[in-house]
Amino acid sequence: MKEIDPARVPRHIAIIMDGNGRWAKKHAMGRVLGHRKGAESVRVTVRTCRRIGIRYLTLYAFSMENWLRPEAEVRALLQLLQEYLDGEVQEMMDNDIRLVAIGSLDSLGDPILTTIREAMERTAGNQGMVLNLALSYGGRDEIVMAARSMVGDGLAGIIRPEEVTKELFARYLYTTGLPDPDLLIRTGGECRVSNFLLWQLAYTEFYFTDVLWPDFRERHLLEAIVDYQKRERRFGMTSDQLTRT
Ligand code: FPP
């Protein structure tokens, strides 16, 4: 495999971690074991991203739609998240990783909410990489939340309609302060966005792989980055314009 160019790694990678259930079925195991194995891929991916100089990593860990899964599976997913945070915060400290989270976090309830808040506070000063977990997250829900909050500010006289721009709107989103993703990876063979970062993915490069998330390892991540580095990002301009800038 061609090596990645360390000087041109994506600044922000977002990942839709799909295929845990199918992996479990393939190995004649229950779905929860697939998620547990998926948590190992999370550990490997975070470590690799930090090592190769990725500045922001966003993981779609629990979608708004995931609440509709059987209660036992929802409980197991939240439990895995709790175990992950309990076990990894020290490693985040050791590796200068800051934890942030986006989504309707309050709906997660305690004890997980307190664990997330404490982990965010403890890692707040770290500057090597931002690990952003999307939890109880939905892209359309995020846009509606932002619009609601903006209308509130409008009615309170804080902003006027003519002041509303793309930049101002983005400040009302959960992702305020984070750059848009450069590369979106989706594992598990499906080629869709599934209500993930709908606003933020406007100019993102997409990479889809059939590899199921529990099988996703360092070489798969590096393959995605090599593929990304072969592409030319034009942001609506022509190639000639880009070579001139
Ligand atoms: C999709 O697989 C994956 C999820 C719904 C959850 C992702 C969660 C993890 C990887 C584990 C815990 C996370 C952290 C951050 C420790 P699926 O169940 O939809 O798979 P399928 O499409 O094959 O059924």
Side-chain angles (χ1 to χ4, degrees), residues 183-197:
L183 172 63
L184 171 80
I185 298 172
R186 180 171 187 146
T187 62
E190 311 287 358
C191 300
R192 52 177 175 256
V193 178
S194 299
N195 204 15
F196 191 41
L197 300 175

Side-chain angles (χ1 to χ4, degrees), residues 150 165-177 199:
M150 195 175 241
T165 59
K166 286 176 282 189
E167 291 72 25
L168 183 71
F169 189 75
R171 278 197 247 147
Y172 283 80
L173 295 170
Y174 294 130
T175 48
T176 179
W199 173 278

Side-chain angles (χ1 to χ4, degrees), residues 17-23 31 34-36 38-39 42-43 59-63 66 69 73 77 80-81 84-85 133 135 190 212-213:
M17 310 181 286
D18 196 14
N20 296 350
R22 276 163 286 158
W23 185 93
R31 294 181 58 83
H35 293 313
R36 187 164 285 282
V42 169
R43 290 187 184 89
L59 301 177
Y60 204 4
F62 192 89
S63 73
N66 287 155
R69 293 196 174 195
E73 185 171 341
L77 276 169
L80 267 178
L81 187 65
Y84 174 79
L85 293 173
L133 296 182
L135 297 168
E190 311 287 358
L212 302 174
W213 178 251

Side-chain angles (χ1 to χ4, degrees), residues 62-127:
F62 192 89
S63 73
M64 210 60 156
E65 290 72 23
N66 287 155
W67 287 113
L68 301 172
R69 293 196 174 195
E71 201 191 317
E73 185 171 341
V74 169
R75 225 178 310 120
L77 276 169
L78 297 180
Q79 173 64 29
L80 267 178
L81 187 65
Q82 177 84 42
E83 285 174 25
Y84 174 79
L85 293 173
D86 290 343
E88 298 298 303
V89 173
Q90 189 52 51
E91 175 155 342
M92 290 179 205
M93 293 308 293
D94 295 343
N95 291 295
D96 204 17
I97 296 172
R98 178 175 158 216
L99 180 81
V100 299
I102 56 171
S104 172
L105 302 182
D106 287 344
S107 59
L108 295 169
D110 268 331
I112 184 83
L113 187 56
T114 305
T115 306
I116 294 167
R117 291 220 169 104
E118 284 173 2
M120 283 168 58
E121 264 169 44
R122 190 157 165 225
T123 61
N126 294 347
Q127 299 199 340

Side-chain angles (χ1 to χ4, degrees), residues 6 9-11 47-56 128-129:
V9 294
R11 183 154 71 130
R47 212 167 297 143
T48 306
C49 283
R50 175 70 183 102
R51 183 173 61 74
I52 64 176
I54 304 300
R55 301 306 306 272
Y56 300 85
M129 181 176 93

Side-chain angles (χ1 to χ4, degrees), residues 5-35:
D5 173 354
R8 290 190 308 118
V9 294
R11 183 154 71 130
H12 184 174
I13 296 180
I15 307 183
I16 301 177
M17 310 181 286
D18 196 14
N20 296 350
R22 276 163 286 158
W23 185 93
K25 196 165 186 186
K26 199 169 129 191
H27 293 82
M29 293 176 182
R31 294 181 58 83
V32 172
L33 281 173
H35 293 313

